[in-house]
Amino acid sequence: MKKRLETKPTLYPLPAVVVGTYDAEGHPDAMTAAWAGICCSEPPCLTVGIRESRLTYENLLRRKALTVHVPSVDLVKETDYFGLVSGRNEDKLAKTGMTCTPGSEVDAPVIDRFPLVLECRLVSTTKLGSHMLVVAEIVAVAAEESVLTSQGELDAQALAPLCYGPAGYYGLGELAGKAFSVGKELL
Amino acid sequence: MKKRLETKPTLYPLPAVVVGTYDAEGHPDAMTAAWAGICCSEPPCLTVGIRESRLTYENLLRRKALTVHVPSVDLVKETDYFGLVSGRNEDKLAKTGMTCTPGSEVDAPVIDRFPLVLECRLVSTTKLGSHMLVVAEIVAVAAEESVLTSQGELDAQALAPLCYGPAGYYGLGELAGKAFSVGKELL
């Protein structure tokens, strides 16, 4: 018998991502978002929920482009900071000493210190209420060599993606089972 | 310097959720999805990416309702199994010995063994390519007492939500920092 809780967006884990955009002057900005997820395999697309008032939203509309970075758990302070202040008031990358390079496929910045980045092209925006639903197509994926196995695949323990959970940010735990595999016992 | 990877939906962690619906005969079905996320705070909304051919998609269109369950890591086999077979061919709940009760707010089943459930009303569907983007409003949230703290809040270690990562399903790791808090050091 389940107990009723407050009706809030209570889904875990969520990815704690950092969205990169260029502002009107071409200056790079970064904003943290946990309202994000994958929504399509072919073409690969993701969703991000962003408040209409955010600089990031204004920026991504202008250039139809954004980057979505997966931070490692050791960048938890920087990631949280990117969600605390607006790029309208502070140069967040300068403040954290982070550098970036232009995206290879889209007009948005790739932040060097985050180990994994998805370069995305804007597909659509829809007003839902407090947030705009942004759908974007992933047109390039790149990662630091340090988070890849010798076979060139992502290594979960090296990537150590930041997980958004009930009390804040968590690390990723141990492998519990392979997908499309561990459930075959029940077939 | 980042290395280019295959252009695939490479975002981690993702929630490994189980979507509950009733079929045309009112029989409950369950399907696993990792293409899911939150997209709005007010009203609370989530997205799920589902292939148009899936029984779950047909079902949620008919009743305009779905339940989204967060499985604990100890239910990894059952969760993977729910993604391996179709409810058109097998009674997945019966096969796993799982029981359910009707949702309190929507016309979809609440599966008893999953510790956290979001009852959702269909808002919209949009064809993106391989998957339909389903947007749904969360109209009720309920959890087992066993995953709540004495203050009635979700306990991350007790909930132990299943995390979808590079090689499959993972547990949730240790708390790395509180949200809107750990980054204040950089202000």
Side-chain angles (χ1 to χ4, degrees):
Chain A
M1 184 63 194
K2 291 181 171 63
K3 188 183 165 180
R4 188 79 174 257
L5 306 181
E6 209 183 328
T7 305
K8 290 197 301 186
T10 312
L11 179 64
Y12 303 113
L14 295 170
V17 300
V18 175
V19 179
T21 54
Y22 288 120
D23 72 10
E25 284 74 45
H27 197 82
D29 186 44
M31 185 201 81
T32 303
W35 293 177
I38 295 294
C39 59
C40 190
S41 300
E42 281 292 333
C45 293
L46 54 76
T47 59
V48 192
I50 305 183
R51 289 183 192 270
E52 208 169 353
S53 58
R54 294 281 187 262
L55 177 60
T56 292
Y57 185 68
E58 185 187 314
N59 290 349
L60 68 84
L61 280 189
R62 197 184 302 109
R63 304 211 179 191
K64 314 283 184 216
L66 61 153
T67 45
V68 173
H69 303 82
V70 174
S72 285
V73 70
D74 61 309
L75 294 170
V76 63
K77 280 180 200 169
E78 289 82 353
T79 302
D80 193 52
Y81 164 76
F82 288 150
L84 285 171
V85 296
S86 172
R88 290 197 180 94
N89 309 318
E90 213 159 295
D91 184 336
K92 295 193 254 185
L93 290 172
K95 184 94 180 221
T96 52
M98 288 205 191
T99 55
C100 60
T101 50
S104 59
E105 300 291 334
V106 305
D107 196 9
V110 171
I111 302 172
D112 298 316
R113 277 191 74 196
F114 294 119
L116 175 63
V117 65
L118 314 183
E119 298 188 23
C120 303
R121 244 178 240 144
L122 182 63
V123 171
S124 67
T125 61
T126 309
K127 190 171 177 70
L128 293 177
S130 60
H131 287 64
M132 302 296 296
L133 171 62
V134 174
V135 177
E137 183 180 341
I138 302 161
V139 295
V141 178
E144 294 295 324
E145 297 257 17
S146 58
V147 301
L148 299 175
T149 65
S150 52
Q151 285 78 45
E153 295 184 338
L154 281 168
D155 179 314
Q157 298 308 318
L159 181 63
L162 209 50
C163 306
Y164 188 77
Y169 309 101
Y170 295 78
L172 190 68
E174 294 296 311
L175 185 67
K178 293 200 174 181
F180 305 107
S181 169
V182 65
K184 285 182 182 171
E185 278 183 42
L186 295 170
L187 288 179
Chain B
M1 184 63 195
K2 291 180 171 61
K3 188 182 166 180
R4 189 79 175 259
L5 305 181
E6 209 183 327
T7 306
K8 291 197 298 185
T10 311
L11 179 65
Y12 303 113
L14 294 171
V17 300
V18 175
V19 179
T21 53
Y22 287 121
D23 72 10
E25 284 74 46
H27 196 83
D29 186 45
M31 185 201 82
T32 302
W35 292 178
I38 295 295
C39 59
C40 189
S41 299
E42 281 293 333
C45 293
L46 54 76
T47 59
V48 192
I50 306 183
R51 290 182 191 270
E52 207 169 353
S53 59
R54 293 282 186 263
L55 176 62
T56 292
Y57 185 69
E58 183 188 316
N59 290 348
L60 68 84
L61 280 188
R62 196 183 302 108
R63 303 210 180 192
K64 314 284 184 214
L66 60 154
T67 45
V68 173
H69 303 82
V70 174
S72 286
V73 70
D74 61 309
L75 293 170
V76 62
K77 280 180 200 170
E78 289 82 353
T79 302
D80 192 52
Y81 163 76
F82 287 151
L84 286 172
V85 295
S86 171
R88 290 197 180 96
N89 307 321
E90 213 160 294
D91 184 336
K92 296 194 252 185
L93 290 172
K95 185 94 179 226
T96 52
M98 288 206 191
T99 55
C100 60
T101 49
S104 58
E105 300 291 334
V106 305
D107 195 9
V110 171
I111 301 171
D112 297 316
R113 278 190 74 195
F114 294 119
L116 174 63
V117 65
L118 313 182
E119 297 187 21
C120 302
R121 248 178 236 142
L122 181 63
V123 170
S124 68
T125 61
T126 308
K127 189 170 178 70
L128 293 178
S130 60
H131 287 66
M132 302 297 295
L133 170 62
V134 174
V135 177
E137 182 180 344
I138 302 161
V139 295
V141 178
E144 294 296 323
E145 297 257 18
S146 59
V147 301
L148 299 175
T149 65
S150 52
Q151 285 79 43
E153 295 183 338
L154 280 168
D155 179 315
Q157 298 309 317
L159 181 64
L162 209 50
C163 306
Y164 188 77
Y169 309 102
Y170 296 78
L172 189 69
E174 294 296 312
L175 184 67
K178 292 198 174 181
F180 305 107
S181 169
V182 66
K184 285 183 181 169
E185 277 183 42
L186 295 170
L187 288 179

